[in-house]
């Protein structure tokens, strides 16, 4: 059996930065120009932004609390939108994942350094051919409703989410699973038809959390039972209290939590959806909330001057892009797609819209995703873009609709891109929607034209960074390839890369995949934003994954 240390996925997953008490916003600025660094590669683009005044997110930050820390109290968090669901099997957004992570746990999770660590599993081992992974489960764990966790719970959860008839958003995420077998009460094996060295990373993802089987049975017995609203029964340090639309989600400390070393330090966490970014900032400054994310770049410098506020920035695994629907004839011509890429000034976008907090996307995945391979960027060249348009089937230009989330950040990017594309005869109408509504529209796959996307692979590796957006079997409804991009050559390469036990060979295949995608331009590749998080200086014990989800389980006031 291969031990988990032998799986190449675990060697160098992307790093995270930690929010802690001992680093303040008046430390030495980060003058490193490489905002997207892996252990092996640097994103070498012309966008060499230095964010003067930022804390140095590449330094190790002390996340330990001192003797003056106090247990109890309430934490209030301002988030950009309310969750779409309380069910981790039916959500794909960071807001929902942040809220759910207080209540739910999986077999594995990522720690502060993006290493995979055991949670509800005490250990796991791969078979020699990487078609099976067997988990030894933790005993003595109970759900918030008092039911016990065991191997049958794992099987019921994974069988339920994989059943396409249940219509869960994460069904395709677990499509690699062929069978889940209960070996005994606390041993379970997950099997894949093909070798899959990324199975452990998938099981460390937030959507692999376990919920009470009683909740699953309620849904099976009554199809009208709303798991999204009522099914928040996990094993985590906090338990669900209430969700009031557009007002808040409240969780409270679970006194019978199994892990005595990681019991909740505060009594309650309240998540308040605040759509307007400037309002979130004001609420933090006045003490109405204790932590806010995300933060507009324009407010970052202002918050740097606040003595009672800590501001943190760091590269994310997010890639911003313009998606386009290949079922529309106007996007069939490669010249059109490449012209659109050359028409958008990414340096200008980062400087003017992001205030320098970002880097140009030179691949469909970010540099700190394992398996990343940077490509020669599409240089800003309006004349060259116009020549491509003139020689295309859309020489007279065309009208387009650009969907975006209705947050400040997304609308600003959308409007900037619309102005740029107008220069080459593409008349863009920007339409903004609440994020949950937009996700539903894209998942349905109807009337989609262009949209602003932001993608980050929660598994931290290339397969999940690429396959969901570009594999032919991932088109809507309910899948992520909203552009209906079909490339059978890539489909074969995806399968080949995942099946090979040779790490170097897999990396070569993923590099070739990224080259083909970038050259074929199914997206307008935009930028990789920096995460900007701000909190009350007295609030400690928090860390943020590059995916954008914030872990608050050990939050406390010092």
């Amino acid at each position: 059996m291969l031990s988990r240390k032998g799986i190449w996925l675990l060697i160098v997953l992307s790093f995270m930065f930690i929010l802690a008490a001992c680093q303040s916003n008046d430390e030495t600025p980060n003058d490193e120009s490489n905002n997207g660094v892996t252990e092996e590669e640097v994103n070498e683009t012309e966008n060499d932004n230095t964010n003067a005044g930022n804390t140095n997110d590449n330094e190790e930050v002390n996340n330990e609390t001192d003797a003056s820390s106090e247990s109890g109290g309430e934490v209030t968090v301002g988030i950009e939108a309310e969750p779409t669901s309380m069910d981790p099997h039916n959500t794909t957004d960071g807001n929902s994942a942040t809220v759910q992570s207080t209540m739910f746990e999986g077999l594995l999770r990522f720690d502060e350094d993006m290493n995979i660590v055991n949670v509800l599993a005490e250990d796991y081992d791969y078979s020699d051919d990487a078609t099976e992974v067997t988990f030894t489960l933790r005993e003595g764990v109970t759900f918030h409703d008092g039911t016990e966790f065991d191997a049958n719970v794992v099987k019921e959860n994974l069988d339920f989410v994989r059943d396409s008839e249940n219509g869960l958003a994460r069904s395709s995420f677990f499509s690699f699973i062929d069978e889940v077998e209960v070996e005994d009460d606390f041993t379970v094996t997950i099997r894949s038809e093909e070798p899959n060295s990324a199975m452990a990373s998938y099981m460390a993802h937030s959507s692999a959390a376990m919920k009470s089987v009683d909740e699953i049975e309620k849904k099976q017995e009554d199809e009208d039972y709303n798991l999204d609203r009522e099914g928040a029964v996990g094993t985590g340090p906090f338990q669900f209290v209430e969700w009031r639309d557009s007002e808040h989600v409240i969780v409270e400390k679970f006194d019978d939590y199994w892990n005595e070393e990681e019991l909740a330090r505060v009594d309650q966490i309240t998540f308040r959806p605040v759509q307007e970014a400037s309002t979130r900032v004001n609420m933090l400054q006045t003490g109405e909330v204790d932590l806010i994310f995300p933060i507009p770049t324009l407010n970052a410098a202002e918050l740097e001057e606040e003595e009672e506020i800590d501001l943190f920035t760091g590269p994310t695994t997010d890639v911003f892009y313009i998606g386009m629907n290949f079922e529309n004839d106007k996007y069939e011509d490669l010249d059109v797609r490449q012209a659109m890429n050359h028409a958008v000034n990414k340096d200008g976008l980062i400087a003017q819209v992001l205030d320098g907090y970002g880097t140009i996307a030179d691949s469909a995945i970010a540099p700190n995703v394992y398996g990343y391979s940077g490509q020669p960027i599409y240089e800003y060249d309006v004349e060259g873009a116009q020549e491509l348009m003139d020689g295309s089937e859309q020489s007279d230009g065309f009208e387009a609709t650009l969907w975006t989330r209705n947050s400040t950040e997304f609308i600003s990017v959308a409007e900037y891109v619309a102005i740029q594309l107008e220069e080459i005869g593409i008349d863009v109408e920007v339409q903004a929607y609440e994020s949950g509504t937009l996700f539903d529209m894209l998942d349905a796959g109807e009337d989609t034209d262009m949209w602003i996307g932001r993608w980050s692979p929660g598994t931290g590796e290339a397969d999940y960074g690429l396959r969901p957006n570009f594999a032919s079997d991932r088109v809507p409804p309910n899948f992520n390839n909203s552009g209906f991009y079909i490339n059978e050559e890539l489909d074969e390469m995806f399968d080949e890369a995942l099946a090979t036990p040779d790490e170097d060979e897999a990396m070569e295949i993923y590099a070739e995949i990224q080259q083909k995608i970038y050259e074929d331009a199914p997206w307008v590749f935009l930028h990789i934003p920096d995460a900007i998080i701000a909190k009350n200086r007295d609030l400690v014990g928090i860390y943020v994954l590059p995916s954008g989800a914030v872990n608050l389980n050990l939050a406390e006031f010092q």
Side-chain angles (χ1 to χ4, degrees), residues 145-175:
D145 60 5
T147 59
E148 294 185 357
F149 169 76
D150 58 18
N152 183 64
V153 169
V154 177
K155 178 174 174 58
E156 290 291 331
N157 271 266
L158 294 178
D159 285 351
F160 188 76
V161 68
R162 290 187 301 126
D163 188 344
S164 59
E165 293 186 3
N166 293 324
L168 296 171
R170 287 297 187 178
S171 177
S172 64
F173 184 82
F174 298 98
S175 60

PDB file of all heavy atoms in Angstrom, residues 145-175:
ATOM      1  N   ASP A 145     -27.011  16.350  16.259  1.00  0.00           N
ATOM      2  CA  ASP A 145     -28.307  15.774  16.648  1.00  0.00           C
ATOM      3  C   ASP A 145     -28.150  14.524  17.517  1.00  0.00           C
ATOM      4  O   ASP A 145     -29.136  13.857  17.838  1.00  0.00           O
ATOM      5  CB  ASP A 145     -29.147  15.452  15.410  1.00  0.00           C
ATOM      6  CG  ASP A 145     -28.476  14.441  14.470  1.00  0.00           C
ATOM      7  OD1 ASP A 145     -27.404  13.915  14.821  1.00  0.00           O
ATOM      8  OD2 ASP A 145     -29.044  14.178  13.391  1.00  0.00           O
ATOM      9  N   GLY A 146     -26.912  14.200  17.896  1.00  0.00           N
ATOM     10  CA  GLY A 146     -26.673  13.073  18.776  1.00  0.00           C
ATOM     11  C   GLY A 146     -26.417  11.755  18.083  1.00  0.00           C
ATOM     12  O   GLY A 146     -26.063  10.766  18.740  1.00  0.00           O
ATOM     13  N   THR A 147     -26.583  11.690  16.759  1.00  0.00           N
ATOM     14  CA  THR A 147     -26.327  10.450  16.032  1.00  0.00           C
ATOM     15  C   THR A 147     -24.831  10.224  15.892  1.00  0.00           C
ATOM     16  O   THR A 147     -24.035  11.167  15.939  1.00  0.00           O
ATOM     17  CB  THR A 147     -26.987  10.472  14.651  1.00  0.00           C
ATOM     18  OG1 THR A 147     -26.473  11.587  13.900  1.00  0.00           O
ATOM     19  CG2 THR A 147     -28.501  10.607  14.767  1.00  0.00           C
ATOM     20  N   GLU A 148     -24.434   8.958  15.711  1.00  0.00           N
ATOM     21  CA  GLU A 148     -23.020   8.605  15.695  1.00  0.00           C
ATOM     22  C   GLU A 148     -22.439   8.623  14.280  1.00  0.00           C
ATOM     23  O   GLU A 148     -23.132   8.309  13.309  1.00  0.00           O
ATOM     24  CB  GLU A 148     -22.826   7.218  16.320  1.00  0.00           C
ATOM     25  CG  GLU A 148     -23.170   7.164  17.804  1.00  0.00           C
ATOM     26  CD  GLU A 148     -22.850   5.812  18.407  1.00  0.00           C
ATOM     27  OE1 GLU A 148     -22.407   4.917  17.653  1.00  0.00           O
ATOM     28  OE2 GLU A 148     -23.035   5.649  19.630  1.00  0.00           O
ATOM     29  N   PHE A 149     -21.173   8.953  14.222  1.00  0.00           N
ATOM     30  CA  PHE A 149     -20.429   8.914  12.964  1.00  0.00           C
ATOM     31  C   PHE A 149     -19.741   7.568  12.838  1.00  0.00           C
ATOM     32  O   PHE A 149     -19.097   7.084  13.775  1.00  0.00           O
ATOM     33  CB  PHE A 149     -19.381  10.021  12.930  1.00  0.00           C
ATOM     34  CG  PHE A 149     -18.396   9.895  11.806  1.00  0.00           C
ATOM     35  CD1 PHE A 149     -18.762  10.235  10.508  1.00  0.00           C
ATOM     36  CD2 PHE A 149     -17.112   9.416  12.042  1.00  0.00           C
ATOM     37  CE1 PHE A 149     -17.852  10.103   9.471  1.00  0.00           C
ATOM     38  CE2 PHE A 149     -16.201   9.280  11.007  1.00  0.00           C
ATOM     39  CZ  PHE A 149     -16.576   9.625   9.709  1.00  0.00           C
ATOM     40  N   ASP A 150     -19.870   6.934  11.651  1.00  0.00           N
ATOM     41  CA  ASP A 150     -19.188   5.667  11.383  1.00  0.00           C
ATOM     42  C   ASP A 150     -19.050   5.481   9.877  1.00  0.00           C
ATOM     43  O   ASP A 150     -19.351   6.401   9.100  1.00  0.00           O
ATOM     44  CB  ASP A 150     -19.923   4.483  12.023  1.00  0.00           C
ATOM     45  CG  ASP A 150     -21.371   4.345  11.552  1.00  0.00           C
ATOM     46  OD1 ASP A 150     -21.731   4.931  10.497  1.00  0.00           O
ATOM     47  OD2 ASP A 150     -22.152   3.644  12.236  1.00  0.00           O
ATOM     48  N   ALA A 151     -18.615   4.303   9.462  1.00  0.00           N
ATOM     49  CA  ALA A 151     -18.370   4.042   8.041  1.00  0.00           C
ATOM     50  C   ALA A 151     -19.653   4.113   7.226  1.00  0.00           C
ATOM     51  O   ALA A 151     -19.637   4.555   6.066  1.00  0.00           O
ATOM     52  CB  ALA A 151     -17.704   2.677   7.871  1.00  0.00           C
ATOM     53  N   ASN A 152     -20.761   3.700   7.807  1.00  0.00           N
ATOM     54  CA  ASN A 152     -22.029   3.759   7.082  1.00  0.00           C
ATOM     55  C   ASN A 152     -22.415   5.201   6.767  1.00  0.00           C
ATOM     56  O   ASN A 152     -22.985   5.484   5.708  1.00  0.00           O
ATOM     57  CB  ASN A 152     -23.131   3.099   7.902  1.00  0.00           C
ATOM     58  CG  ASN A 152     -24.457   3.063   7.158  1.00  0.00           C
ATOM     59  OD1 ASN A 152     -24.579   2.420   6.115  1.00  0.00           O
ATOM     60  ND2 ASN A 152     -25.452   3.776   7.677  1.00  0.00           N
ATOM     61  N   VAL A 153     -22.088   6.118   7.677  1.00  0.00           N
ATOM     62  CA  VAL A 153     -22.360   7.538   7.432  1.00  0.00           C
ATOM     63  C   VAL A 153     -21.590   8.019   6.201  1.00  0.00           C
ATOM     64  O   VAL A 153     -22.124   8.749   5.356  1.00  0.00           O
ATOM     65  CB  VAL A 153     -21.981   8.372   8.669  1.00  0.00           C
ATOM     66  CG1 VAL A 153     -22.010   9.865   8.336  1.00  0.00           C
ATOM     67  CG2 VAL A 153     -22.924   8.070   9.818  1.00  0.00           C
ATOM     68  N   VAL A 154     -20.337   7.626   6.099  1.00  0.00           N
ATOM     69  CA  VAL A 154     -19.519   8.017   4.950  1.00  0.00           C
ATOM     70  C   VAL A 154     -20.146   7.498   3.660  1.00  0.00           C
ATOM     71  O   VAL A 154     -20.294   8.238   2.678  1.00  0.00           O
ATOM     72  CB  VAL A 154     -18.079   7.497   5.098  1.00  0.00           C
ATOM     73  CG1 VAL A 154     -17.253   7.843   3.854  1.00  0.00           C
ATOM     74  CG2 VAL A 154     -17.424   8.072   6.346  1.00  0.00           C
ATOM     75  N   LYS A 155     -20.524   6.234   3.655  1.00  0.00           N
ATOM     76  CA  LYS A 155     -21.113   5.646   2.452  1.00  0.00           C
ATOM     77  C   LYS A 155     -22.428   6.346   2.089  1.00  0.00           C
ATOM     78  O   LYS A 155     -22.657   6.677   0.921  1.00  0.00           O
ATOM     79  CB  LYS A 155     -21.364   4.159   2.651  1.00  0.00           C
ATOM     80  CG  LYS A 155     -22.032   3.484   1.454  1.00  0.00           C
ATOM     81  CD  LYS A 155     -22.138   1.982   1.633  1.00  0.00           C
ATOM     82  CE  LYS A 155     -22.943   1.338   0.512  1.00  0.00           C
ATOM     83  NZ  LYS A 155     -22.357   1.619  -0.829  1.00  0.00           N
ATOM     84  N   GLU A 156     -23.295   6.562   3.091  1.00  0.00           N
ATOM     85  CA  GLU A 156     -24.583   7.205   2.815  1.00  0.00           C
ATOM     86  C   GLU A 156     -24.393   8.602   2.239  1.00  0.00           C
ATOM     87  O   GLU A 156     -25.100   9.010   1.311  1.00  0.00           O
ATOM     88  CB  GLU A 156     -25.414   7.270   4.098  1.00  0.00           C
ATOM     89  CG  GLU A 156     -25.921   5.934   4.592  1.00  0.00           C
ATOM     90  CD  GLU A 156     -26.985   5.340   3.688  1.00  0.00           C
ATOM     91  OE1 GLU A 156     -27.714   6.108   3.023  1.00  0.00           O
ATOM     92  OE2 GLU A 156     -27.085   4.098   3.618  1.00  0.00           O
ATOM     93  N   ASN A 157     -23.454   9.363   2.796  1.00  0.00           N
ATOM     94  CA  ASN A 157     -23.205  10.716   2.296  1.00  0.00           C
ATOM     95  C   ASN A 157     -22.703  10.701   0.866  1.00  0.00           C
ATOM     96  O   ASN A 157     -23.205  11.445   0.000  1.00  0.00           O
ATOM     97  CB  ASN A 157     -22.200  11.433   3.198  1.00  0.00           C
ATOM     98  CG  ASN A 157     -22.833  12.174   4.344  1.00  0.00           C
ATOM     99  OD1 ASN A 157     -23.106  13.372   4.252  1.00  0.00           O
ATOM    100  ND2 ASN A 157     -23.074  11.476   5.453  1.00  0.00           N
ATOM    101  N   LEU A 158     -21.705   9.866   0.585  1.00  0.00           N
ATOM    102  CA  LEU A 158     -21.104   9.859  -0.747  1.00  0.00           C
ATOM    103  C   LEU A 158     -22.045   9.257  -1.786  1.00  0.00           C
ATOM    104  O   LEU A 158     -22.080   9.711  -2.942  1.00  0.00           O
ATOM    105  CB  LEU A 158     -19.773   9.112  -0.722  1.00  0.00           C
ATOM    106  CG  LEU A 158     -18.672   9.784   0.111  1.00  0.00           C
ATOM    107  CD1 LEU A 158     -17.410   8.934   0.113  1.00  0.00           C
ATOM    108  CD2 LEU A 158     -18.370  11.179  -0.419  1.00  0.00           C
ATOM    109  N   ASP A 159     -22.823   8.278  -1.405  1.00  0.00           N
ATOM    110  CA  ASP A 159     -23.801   7.713  -2.339  1.00  0.00           C
ATOM    111  C   ASP A 159     -24.893   8.728  -2.649  1.00  0.00           C
ATOM    112  O   ASP A 159     -25.349   8.851  -3.793  1.00  0.00           O
ATOM    113  CB  ASP A 159     -24.429   6.439  -1.753  1.00  0.00           C
ATOM    114  CG  ASP A 159     -23.488   5.249  -1.797  1.00  0.00           C
ATOM    115  OD1 ASP A 159     -22.408   5.354  -2.425  1.00  0.00           O
ATOM    116  OD2 ASP A 159     -23.826   4.202  -1.194  1.00  0.00           O
ATOM    117  N   PHE A 160     -25.297   9.486  -1.627  1.00  0.00           N
ATOM    118  CA  PHE A 160     -26.379  10.458  -1.809  1.00  0.00           C
ATOM    119  C   PHE A 160     -25.950  11.611  -2.704  1.00  0.00           C
ATOM    120  O   PHE A 160     -26.669  12.006  -3.615  1.00  0.00           O
ATOM    121  CB  PHE A 160     -26.846  10.984  -0.450  1.00  0.00           C
ATOM    122  CG  PHE A 160     -28.073  11.851  -0.524  1.00  0.00           C
ATOM    123  CD1 PHE A 160     -29.327  11.285  -0.704  1.00  0.00           C
ATOM    124  CD2 PHE A 160     -27.980  13.230  -0.405  1.00  0.00           C
ATOM    125  CE1 PHE A 160     -30.473  12.081  -0.767  1.00  0.00           C
ATOM    126  CE2 PHE A 160     -29.107  14.030  -0.476  1.00  0.00           C
ATOM    127  CZ  PHE A 160     -30.357  13.454  -0.652  1.00  0.00           C
ATOM    128  N   VAL A 161     -24.762  12.155  -2.449  1.00  0.00           N
ATOM    129  CA  VAL A 161     -24.323  13.304  -3.240  1.00  0.00           C
ATOM    130  C   VAL A 161     -24.023  12.895  -4.672  1.00  0.00           C
ATOM    131  O   VAL A 161     -24.208  13.682  -5.615  1.00  0.00           O
ATOM    132  CB  VAL A 161     -23.105  13.988  -2.592  1.00  0.00           C
ATOM    133  CG1 VAL A 161     -21.866  13.111  -2.645  1.00  0.00           C
ATOM    134  CG2 VAL A 161     -22.815  15.331  -3.252  1.00  0.00           C
ATOM    135  N   ARG A 162     -23.588  11.652  -4.888  1.00  0.00           N
ATOM    136  CA  ARG A 162     -23.242  11.210  -6.245  1.00  0.00           C
ATOM    137  C   ARG A 162     -24.462  10.888  -7.095  1.00  0.00           C
ATOM    138  O   ARG A 162     -24.367  10.856  -8.326  1.00  0.00           O
ATOM    139  CB  ARG A 162     -22.356   9.964  -6.176  1.00  0.00           C
ATOM    140  CG  ARG A 162     -20.962  10.238  -5.653  1.00  0.00           C
ATOM    141  CD  ARG A 162     -20.074   9.014  -5.766  1.00  0.00           C
ATOM    142  NE  ARG A 162     -20.565   7.855  -5.041  1.00  0.00           N
ATOM    143  CZ  ARG A 162     -20.758   6.657  -5.570  1.00  0.00           C
ATOM    144  NH1 ARG A 162     -20.526   6.448  -6.852  1.00  0.00           N
ATOM    145  NH2 ARG A 162     -21.181   5.653  -4.812  1.00  0.00           N
ATOM    146  N   ASP A 163     -25.585  10.658  -6.472  1.00  0.00           N
ATOM    147  CA  ASP A 163     -26.806  10.300  -7.194  1.00  0.00           C
ATOM    148  C   ASP A 163     -27.338  11.531  -7.925  1.00  0.00           C
ATOM    149  O   ASP A 163     -27.833  12.470  -7.299  1.00  0.00           O
ATOM    150  CB  ASP A 163     -27.846   9.761  -6.219  1.00  0.00           C
ATOM    151  CG  ASP A 163     -29.076   9.188  -6.921  1.00  0.00           C
ATOM    152  OD1 ASP A 163     -29.271   9.480  -8.126  1.00  0.00           O
ATOM    153  OD2 ASP A 163     -29.836   8.457  -6.267  1.00  0.00           O
ATOM    154  N   SER A 164     -27.240  11.543  -9.227  1.00  0.00           N
ATOM    155  CA  SER A 164     -27.632  12.717 -10.016  1.00  0.00           C
ATOM    156  C   SER A 164     -29.113  13.052  -9.849  1.00  0.00           C
ATOM    157  O   SER A 164     -29.519  14.207 -10.045  1.00  0.00           O
ATOM    158  CB  SER A 164     -27.308  12.491 -11.493  1.00  0.00           C
ATOM    159  OG  SER A 164     -27.990  11.353 -11.990  1.00  0.00           O
ATOM    160  N   GLU A 165     -29.939  12.070  -9.498  1.00  0.00           N
ATOM    161  CA  GLU A 165     -31.361  12.325  -9.315  1.00  0.00           C
ATOM    162  C   GLU A 165     -31.634  13.236  -8.123  1.00  0.00           C
ATOM    163  O   GLU A 165     -32.704  13.838  -8.029  1.00  0.00           O
ATOM    164  CB  GLU A 165     -32.118  11.008  -9.154  1.00  0.00           C
ATOM    165  CG  GLU A 165     -32.136  10.151 -10.417  1.00  0.00           C
ATOM    166  CD  GLU A 165     -33.014   8.920 -10.272  1.00  0.00           C
ATOM    167  OE1 GLU A 165     -33.653   8.770  -9.193  1.00  0.00           O
ATOM    168  OE2 GLU A 165     -33.079   8.130 -11.228  1.00  0.00           O
ATOM    169  N   ASN A 166     -30.675  13.347  -7.214  1.00  0.00           N
ATOM    170  CA  ASN A 166     -30.853  14.233  -6.068  1.00  0.00           C
ATOM    171  C   ASN A 166     -30.554  15.688  -6.412  1.00  0.00           C
ATOM    172  O   ASN A 166     -30.832  16.584  -5.615  1.00  0.00           O
ATOM    173  CB  ASN A 166     -29.962  13.776  -4.909  1.00  0.00           C
ATOM    174  CG  ASN A 166     -30.396  12.436  -4.355  1.00  0.00           C
ATOM    175  OD1 ASN A 166     -31.589  12.133  -4.284  1.00  0.00           O
ATOM    176  ND2 ASN A 166     -29.437  11.606  -3.965  1.00  0.00           N
ATOM    177  N   GLY A 167     -29.971  15.919  -7.599  1.00  0.00           N
ATOM    178  CA  GLY A 167     -29.791  17.272  -8.112  1.00  0.00           C
ATOM    179  C   GLY A 167     -28.879  18.162  -7.299  1.00  0.00           C
ATOM    180  O   GLY A 167     -29.061  19.383  -7.254  1.00  0.00           O
ATOM    181  N   LEU A 168     -27.869  17.591  -6.676  1.00  0.00           N
ATOM    182  CA  LEU A 168     -26.966  18.387  -5.853  1.00  0.00           C
ATOM    183  C   LEU A 168     -25.839  18.991  -6.694  1.00  0.00           C
ATOM    184  O   LEU A 168     -25.301  18.342  -7.591  1.00  0.00           O
ATOM    185  CB  LEU A 168     -26.382  17.526  -4.737  1.00  0.00           C
ATOM    186  CG  LEU A 168     -27.416  16.997  -3.728  1.00  0.00           C
ATOM    187  CD1 LEU A 168     -26.783  15.984  -2.788  1.00  0.00           C
ATOM    188  CD2 LEU A 168     -28.040  18.139  -2.934  1.00  0.00           C
ATOM    189  N   ALA A 169     -25.463  20.209  -6.368  1.00  0.00           N
ATOM    190  CA  ALA A 169     -24.484  20.950  -7.177  1.00  0.00           C
ATOM    191  C   ALA A 169     -23.128  20.276  -7.211  1.00  0.00           C
ATOM    192  O   ALA A 169     -22.372  20.440  -8.170  1.00  0.00           O
ATOM    193  CB  ALA A 169     -24.349  22.374  -6.642  1.00  0.00           C
ATOM    194  N   ARG A 170     -22.780  19.517  -6.185  1.00  0.00           N
ATOM    195  CA  ARG A 170     -21.470  18.887  -6.107  1.00  0.00           C
ATOM    196  C   ARG A 170     -21.476  17.439  -6.601  1.00  0.00           C
ATOM    197  O   ARG A 170     -20.483  16.722  -6.406  1.00  0.00           O
ATOM    198  CB  ARG A 170     -20.952  18.930  -4.671  1.00  0.00           C
ATOM    199  CG  ARG A 170     -20.517  20.314  -4.227  1.00  0.00           C
ATOM    200  CD  ARG A 170     -19.340  20.821  -5.045  1.00  0.00           C
ATOM    201  NE  ARG A 170     -18.801  22.069  -4.527  1.00  0.00           N
ATOM    202  CZ  ARG A 170     -17.759  22.695  -5.029  1.00  0.00           C
ATOM    203  NH1 ARG A 170     -17.146  22.195  -6.093  1.00  0.00           N
ATOM    204  NH2 ARG A 170     -17.322  23.822  -4.511  1.00  0.00           N
ATOM    205  N   SER A 171     -22.524  17.017  -7.237  1.00  0.00           N
ATOM    206  CA  SER A 171     -22.595  15.642  -7.719  1.00  0.00           C
ATOM    207  C   SER A 171     -21.428  15.302  -8.635  1.00  0.00           C
ATOM    208  O   SER A 171     -20.768  14.269  -8.474  1.00  0.00           O
ATOM    209  CB  SER A 171     -23.921  15.405  -8.452  1.00  0.00           C
ATOM    210  OG  SER A 171     -23.978  14.105  -8.979  1.00  0.00           O
ATOM    211  N   SER A 172     -21.127  16.167  -9.567  1.00  0.00           N
ATOM    212  CA  SER A 172     -20.054  15.895 -10.522  1.00  0.00           C
ATOM    213  C   SER A 172     -18.687  15.909  -9.867  1.00  0.00           C
ATOM    214  O   SER A 172     -17.754  15.273 -10.350  1.00  0.00           O
ATOM    215  CB  SER A 172     -20.088  16.920 -11.658  1.00  0.00           C
ATOM    216  OG  SER A 172     -19.822  18.224 -11.168  1.00  0.00           O
ATOM    217  N   PHE A 173     -18.541  16.631  -8.753  1.00  0.00           N
ATOM    218  CA  PHE A 173     -17.266  16.704  -8.054  1.00  0.00           C
ATOM    219  C   PHE A 173     -16.800  15.317  -7.608  1.00  0.00           C
ATOM    220  O   PHE A 173     -15.609  15.031  -7.568  1.00  0.00           O
ATOM    221  CB  PHE A 173     -17.409  17.634  -6.850  1.00  0.00           C
ATOM    222  CG  PHE A 173     -16.134  17.869  -6.082  1.00  0.00           C
ATOM    223  CD1 PHE A 173     -15.218  18.802  -6.515  1.00  0.00           C
ATOM    224  CD2 PHE A 173     -15.857  17.154  -4.923  1.00  0.00           C
ATOM    225  CE1 PHE A 173     -14.042  19.035  -5.816  1.00  0.00           C
ATOM    226  CE2 PHE A 173     -14.681  17.373  -4.211  1.00  0.00           C
ATOM    227  CZ  PHE A 173     -13.773  18.317  -4.664  1.00  0.00           C
ATOM    228  N   PHE A 174     -17.762  14.460  -7.292  1.00  0.00           N
ATOM    229  CA  PHE A 174     -17.443  13.120  -6.811  1.00  0.00           C
ATOM    230  C   PHE A 174     -17.618  12.048  -7.885  1.00  0.00           C
ATOM    231  O   PHE A 174     -17.711  10.856  -7.567  1.00  0.00           O
ATOM    232  CB  PHE A 174     -18.325  12.787  -5.602  1.00  0.00           C
ATOM    233  CG  PHE A 174     -18.116  13.698  -4.434  1.00  0.00           C
ATOM    234  CD1 PHE A 174     -18.960  14.774  -4.207  1.00  0.00           C
ATOM    235  CD2 PHE A 174     -17.052  13.511  -3.573  1.00  0.00           C
ATOM    236  CE1 PHE A 174     -18.763  15.627  -3.137  1.00  0.00           C
ATOM    237  CE2 PHE A 174     -16.838  14.358  -2.497  1.00  0.00           C
ATOM    238  CZ  PHE A 174     -17.697  15.417  -2.277  1.00  0.00           C
ATOM    239  N   SER A 175     -17.633  12.461  -9.125  1.00  0.00           N
ATOM    240  CA  SER A 175     -17.858  11.507 -10.210  1.00  0.00           C
ATOM    241  C   SER A 175     -16.700  10.522 -10.376  1.00  0.00           C
ATOM    242  O   SER A 175     -16.851   9.492 -11.044  1.00  0.00           O
ATOM    243  CB  SER A 175     -18.103  12.248 -11.531  1.00  0.00           C
ATOM    244  OG  SER A 175     -16.983  13.048 -11.871  1.00  0.00           O
TER     245      SER A 175
END
